[in-house]
Amino acid sequence: MTEKRMSWAEPFKIKMVEPLFMTTPAQRVKALEEAGYNTFLLRSEDVYIDLLTDSGTSAMSDRQWAGLMLGDEAYAGSRNYYHLEEAVRKYYGYKYLVPTHQGRGAENILSRILIKPGDILPGNMYFTTTKAHQELAGGTFVDIIVDEAHDPRSLFPFKGNVDLAKLQRVIDEQGAERIPYVSLATTVNMAGGQPISLANLKAVRALTAKHGIRIIHDMTRVAENAYMIQQLEEGQGARSVAEIVFDICSLTDGATMSAKKDALVNIGGFMATNEWDVFEEARNQVVLYEGLHTYGGLAGRDMEAMAIGIAESVQDDHIRARVGQVFYLGEKLLEAGVPLVRPTGTHGVFLDAKAFLPHLPQIAFPAQTLAAEIYVDSGVRTMERGIVSAGRDKLTGDHCYPELELVRLTIPRRVYTQAHMDVIAESVARVYQRRDRITGLKMTYEPKYLRFFQARFEPLRA
Ligand SMILES: *Cc1c(COP(=O)(O)O)cnc(C)c1O
């Protein structure tokens, strides 16, 4: 067994600090009004603790910063590209690498190569940009995740698992020749950061191999998934996160990566594959959309920081502290009686706004309201994942009314301390104490696309 520690304390000390902006309640009320009660429209300088996203918000290590100085900014054949290729082969085992500016750049290229109009893409829940590129290439996404993933109260530990019967049904009904690949994410972001088990992935591999179907791995959060396998899956407790990450990757045929998440950089991504002809085609496409195949829209220094970040991201001590911090916040909130999605995700805590504000109808935007209230209370910025994010029905024009009405508290990696987690938990608990007096919002401006980014609101009068 691995040595189990009582504390998840950080395996680093702090060498440089970035001062935070402290605001008064009056300043926050004004800032929120100016932002139309939408946390996306706040200026970052008006925010104390920023939990909007864990994407590109990680703190780099001294080694990564030193790596920036080793940037080889040659147009072609930069040495940092070869270092990145070496890291991808060593830690993930994929043979061929094409760097891209971030995850969606890789999704665009891969989708164009593998998907034909009319194709079907089964996956363990959709992700916004992944699905968008699959559809742009003429494909249709089909959800094959286990039912537990859609139930915020289910404590099932591997809510990211594929339901094998659902996958078999898609193959039987559509035919294997219409399925270029199974789209497989580790961990599943849209289910709240929930992992897939190694046993389930092996079963998916066996089933797809029988039908000659690839598995393409959305490996944005693979290190966090591997850590959950180590912690929860039978027979895996004595293995290192790095070994489990390598295993996960070797059960798949290729990958897309947003290095802005687990790989600890502020910008970057890649596509990887074990197939020579897919690689060849990707090298042709990347020149059109990103840049030459040895830089893919990145500076040499960015590839160097990514290569170093990949090695750091699979270290047991790092990932234990990262996920431990998120779980610590989840436990604090549960102790305060705050309703959450269970189990706590590996990258964030999701508040159940319907249960938090049961007196508000969904059309009064409970999650949007709650995010605004938390900001006014303490300057903590969170984000809505509910009716505003869900948008309108394409056919009827009415709002979509999603089952889950959530506020997401996403924790950047290596950025905040345990004391910050305490401040966040205390603030949410304070808002929970006065929940009965919270009135909702009405929407005063609605953009046409992805409305959650820019919509504006006003308080409903009690
Ligand atoms: C962030 C993310 C992406 C897209 O990556 P970008 O770097 O934001 O373009 C794809 N899949 C998952 C699971 C993600 O979390």
Side-chain angles (χ1 to χ4, degrees):
M1 289 298 288
T2 43
E3 168 202 359
K4 291 272 192 279
R5 289 187 204 166
M6 296 304 289
S7 173
W8 49 268
E10 295 84 353
F12 55 81
K13 58 184 176 176
I14 296 167
K15 184 178 318 219
M16 186 188 283
V17 297
E18 178 181 340
L20 292 170
F21 298 93
M22 311 296 285
T23 48
T24 64
Q27 285 170 326
R28 292 195 292 271
V29 166
K30 184 161 169 286
L32 190 68
E33 266 172 27
E34 280 172 11
Y37 293 80
N38 186 345
T39 52
F40 275 103
L41 298 178
L42 288 167
R43 291 168 186 242
S44 133
E45 296 199 340
D46 292 325
V47 171
Y48 174 35
I49 300 174
D50 203 345
L51 308 182
L52 196 67
T53 175
D54 66 334
S55 178
T57 53
S58 298
M60 294 207 297
S61 67
D62 55 355
R63 285 165 183 77
Q64 286 178 291
W65 280 103
L68 295 186
M69 294 305 295
L70 301 177
D72 170 6
E73 307 306 342
Y75 190 88
S78 158
R79 87 171 152 253
N80 313 116
Y81 167 79
Y82 295 103
H83 185 194
L84 179 60
E85 179 183 61
E86 194 186 303
V88 167
R89 285 185 178 157
K90 176 172 175 189
Y91 293 102
Y92 305 141
Y94 295 119
K95 281 192 202 146
Y96 310 116
L97 160 77
V98 177
T100 57
H101 77 286
Q102 60 183 81
R104 67 199 71 181
E107 292 169 346
N108 173 40
I109 290 170
L110 187 99
S111 302
R112 289 176 157 273
I113 296 171
L114 294 182
I115 301 171
K116 295 187 307 297
D119 279 353
I120 303 293
L121 289 308
N124 55 346
M125 208 176 258
Y126 79 99
F127 184 75
T128 49
T129 58
T130 318
K131 181 167 161 237
H133 282 295
Q134 290 168 351
E135 288 175 351
L136 279 172
T140 303
F141 175 85
V142 180
D143 190 13
I144 51 162
I145 204 165
V146 292
D147 288 338
E148 287 90 341
H150 296 283
D151 176 4
R153 280 163 303 271
S154 162
L155 284 171
F156 185 59
F158 292 106
K159 283 180 164 183
N161 278 0
V162 168
D163 183 326
L164 294 159
K166 286 185 192 170
L167 175 55
Q168 184 67 61
R169 207 173 316 133
V170 176
I171 296 172
D172 292 344
E173 285 170 8
Q174 307 288 345
E177 62 291 344
R178 286 183 63 199
I179 305 175
Y181 59 88
V182 168
S183 186
L184 191 121
T186 56
T187 60
V188 182
N189 190 349
M190 298 303 275
Q194 305 292 330
I196 175 172
S197 73
L198 204 51
N200 183 255
L201 179 51
K202 284 179 182 160
V204 175
R205 173 78 289 179
L207 180 55
T208 50
K210 215 166 68 184
H211 296 276
I213 298 171
R214 292 181 193 85
I215 300 176
I216 296 294
H217 180 198
D218 181 344
M219 61 181 301
T220 298
R221 293 187 166 81
V222 67
E224 291 175 7
N225 197 121
Y227 175 70
M228 294 314 293
I229 288 173
Q230 182 197 59
Q231 294 300 303
L232 299 175
E233 190 164 346
E234 214 170 308
Q236 299 296 325
R239 305 184 64 221
S240 70
V241 166
E243 285 172 315
I244 299 170
V245 164
F246 195 89
D247 270 11
I248 293 173
C249 295
S250 39
L251 289 162
T252 68
D253 303 290
T256 56
M257 171 66 140
S258 169
K260 301 173 69 173
K261 297 14 177 298
D262 271 6
L264 298 165
V265 288
N266 304 120
I267 193 73
F270 61 78
M271 192 203 105
T273 173
N274 292 332
E275 296 172 77
W276 173 259
D277 42 343
V278 173
F279 174 55
E280 236 186 347
E281 188 50 33
R283 282 196 302 186
N284 281 324
Q285 298 269 343
V286 76
V287 183
L288 289 175
Y289 295 103
E290 305 279 320
L292 194 66
H293 65 278
T294 57
Y295 75 85
L298 295 167
R301 56 178 172 267
D302 295 328
M303 291 189 285
E304 188 61 27
M306 206 196 306
I308 298 168
I310 286 170
E312 292 178 357
S313 75
V314 300
Q315 301 307 314
D316 281 52
D317 287 328
H318 159 70
I319 200 78
R320 179 194 299 117
R322 187 293 187 272
V323 178
Q325 186 179 49
V326 180
F327 285 4
Y328 174 83
L329 177 62
E331 278 159 27
K332 282 250 149 190
L333 289 167
L334 281 175
E335 276 167 28
V338 174
L340 306 181
V341 175
R342 307 285 307 279
T344 299
T346 54
H347 68 293
V349 177
F350 294 70
L351 308 180
D352 182 347
K354 277 187 185 172
F356 198 114
L357 299 170
H359 57 290
L360 293 192
Q362 202 163 5
I363 192 61
F365 308 109
Q368 190 78 33
T369 304
L370 182 51
E373 292 287 342
I374 293 168
Y375 172 73
V376 168
D377 184 82
S378 57
V380 171
R381 169 153 72 171
T382 61
M383 121 176 174
E384 194 257 15
R385 271 291 183 230
I387 183 170
V388 183
S389 295
R392 287 184 182 270
D393 187 294
K394 279 198 190 91
L395 296 175
T396 66
D398 192 12
H399 299 285
C400 296
Y401 289 84
E403 195 56 41
L404 297 178
E405 178 75 22
L406 308 176
V407 172
R408 190 178 90 174
L409 284 62
T410 347
I411 313 299
R413 295 166 185 78
R414 306 195 292 205
V415 171
Y416 293 114
T417 66
Q418 180 161 340
H420 288 122
M421 297 303 117
D422 292 340
V423 168
I424 297 160
E426 285 161 16
S427 174
V428 174
R430 256 193 318 271
V431 175
Y432 192 56
Q433 290 303 315
R434 61 175 174 79
R435 62 190 179 278
D436 295 344
R437 279 172 284 144
I438 294 174
T439 54
L441 294 168
K442 69 167 186 247
M443 202 187 290
T444 56
Y445 167 69
E446 180 174 357
K448 206 160 153 202
Y449 302 109
L450 298 175
R451 63 181 185 177
F452 57 95
F453 283 126
Q454 288 154 343
R456 301 184 70 86
F457 303 83
E458 264 172 22
L460 287 169
R461 297 289 156 222

